[in-house]
């Protein structure tokens, strides 16, 4: 195997520290490999495989690359194409507000196409542990794919859409609006002054229909990030 790319995610809680590599075999086949940095991370590697299986079985909106798990690493087929995040960044770079919003609307439709349920997400013990008690109900994806953000969706040459990197899941329904908020926050961060010149944060969140819960979603994001990097 020839190593084409390596990324160390080593600033997290020990249970989540991993190495991600892109490898190519003698036949030209490329795979994405995730390995634990220490033995404490092995259950997390197994969970990634479980997440991939749940995603493949629980929805028909996005295709999933073939994957496998052994005692030390998780392998998945590399999917060539362009991430939705890259498409969104291109619209920002070209200062095309209309295309930027259209791309986010299209992304929102993808999330809304997942099997869903309206519920209070904190009824799930795992959600409660990670995000705390919630006093309202939301339209939720039944699959807790909290990281189904644009950079984890690839558009292949034939225009088919693929879900990649199923590392982070919540064991229970996750509000669609929260996943949308996470995606919008990442675009706002990466878009910087260029995006700010096209649309404000308030305008974007209002356009997506999630401005009302901005404070709550920011709190959830902070708690979730803390659980990964500190609390585990």
């Amino acid at each position: 195997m020839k190593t084409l790319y390596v990324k160390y995610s080593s600033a997290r809680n020990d249970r989540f520290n991993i190495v991600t590599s892109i490898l190519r075999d003698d036949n030209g086949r490329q795979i994405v490999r995730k390995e634990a940095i220490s033995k404490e991370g092995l259950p997390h590697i197994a969970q990634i495989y479980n997440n991939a299986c749940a995603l493949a079985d629980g929805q028909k909106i996005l295709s999933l690359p073939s994957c496998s798990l052994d005692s030390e690493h998780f392998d998945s087929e590399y999917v060539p194409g362009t991430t939705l995040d890259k498409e969104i960044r291109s619209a920002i770079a070209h200062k095309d507000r209309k295309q930027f919003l259209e791309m986010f609307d299209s992304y929102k439709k993808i999330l809304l196409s997942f099997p869903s349920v309206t519920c209070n997400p904190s009824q799930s013990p795992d959600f409660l542990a990670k995000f705390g008690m919630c006093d309202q109900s939301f339209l939720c994806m039944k699959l807790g794919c909290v990281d189904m953000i644009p950079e984890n969706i690839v558009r292949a040459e034939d225009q088919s859409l693929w879900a990649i990197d199923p590392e982070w899941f919540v064991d229970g329904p996750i509000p669609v609006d929260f996943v949308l908020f996470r995606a919008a926050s990442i675009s706002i961060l990466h878009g910087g002054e260029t995006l700010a010149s096209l649309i404000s944060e308030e305008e974007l969140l209002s356009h997506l229909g999630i401005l009302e819960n901005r404070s709550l979603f920011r709190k959830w994001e902070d708690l979730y990030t803390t659980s990964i990097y500190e609390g585990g």
Side-chain angles (χ1 to χ4, degrees):
M1 288 280 193
K2 180 179 181 180
T3 301
L4 305 178
Y5 169 88
V6 177
K7 175 185 176 183
Y8 286 85
S9 300
S10 56
R12 307 168 176 172
N13 180 280
D14 286 344
R15 294 198 296 142
F16 305 127
N17 284 334
I18 65 170
V19 182
T20 301
S21 307
I22 298 178
L23 309 173
R24 185 173 62 207
D25 65 19
D26 293 338
N27 297 319
R29 175 176 174 262
Q30 294 185 35
I31 65 169
V32 180
R33 173 166 293 175
K34 292 183 179 290
E35 303 173 86
I37 291 179
S38 67
K39 64 180 181 180
E40 286 82 4
L42 290 175
H44 182 57
I45 297 299
Q47 186 60 54
I48 296 173
Y49 176 75
N50 293 337
N51 294 345
C53 293
L55 195 54
D57 294 339
Q59 58 82 43
K60 302 300 180 185
I61 310 305
L62 304 175
S63 299
L64 271 292
S66 60
C67 63
S68 62
L69 175 73
D70 68 14
S71 60
E72 296 183 353
H73 53 254
F74 166 81
D75 286 349
S76 63
E77 180 183 3
Y78 176 80
V79 180
T82 305
T83 65
L84 299 192
D85 175 68
K86 188 173 182 179
E87 294 180 350
I88 289 170
R89 289 195 192 207
S90 177
I92 296 171
H94 287 88
K95 298 184 178 181
D96 192 331
R97 174 188 165 110
K98 180 175 181 291
Q99 185 181 32
F100 172 79
L101 291 176
E102 287 176 349
M103 287 180 174
F104 252 99
D105 289 342
S106 178
Y107 164 68
K108 181 178 180 179
K109 288 180 180 178
I110 293 172
L111 298 184
L112 290 172
S113 297
F114 273 67
S116 62
V117 60
T118 299
C119 67
N120 182 328
S122 63
Q123 293 174 341
S124 157
D126 190 45
F127 185 98
L128 181 63
K130 289 182 170 71
F131 301 100
M133 180 61 69
C134 174
D135 62 1
Q136 58 182 302
S137 294
F138 291 91
L139 178 67
C140 298
M141 291 187 284
K142 290 183 178 180
L143 293 168
C145 37
V146 65
D147 209 30
M148 191 55 68
I149 53 178
E151 67 186 62
N152 291 331
I153 301 175
V154 171
R155 191 188 309 278
E157 281 190 12
D158 63 1
Q159 299 302 304
S160 60
L161 295 175
W162 294 72
I164 61 170
D165 198 11
E167 184 174 0
W168 302 108
F169 261 55
V170 173
D171 187 13
I174 194 78
V176 172
D177 285 354
F178 178 52
V179 180
L180 192 58
F181 172 82
R182 299 189 76 229
S185 297
I186 292 170
S187 280
I188 291 166
L189 177 64
H190 292 168
E193 293 181 0
T194 302
L195 180 58
S197 70
L198 301 178
I199 189 170
S200 69
E201 177 183 4
E202 288 76 12
E203 287 176 313
L204 176 57
L205 298 184
S206 178
H207 175 84
L208 297 173
I210 57 176
L211 180 61
E212 179 182 0
N213 288 303
R214 174 170 57 177
S215 296
L216 175 63
F217 292 161
R218 278 181 175 166
K219 174 185 174 183
W220 285 358
E221 180 64 17
D222 289 344
L223 289 169
Y224 192 55
T225 301
T226 298
S227 76
I228 293 170
Y229 286 90
E230 299 177 16

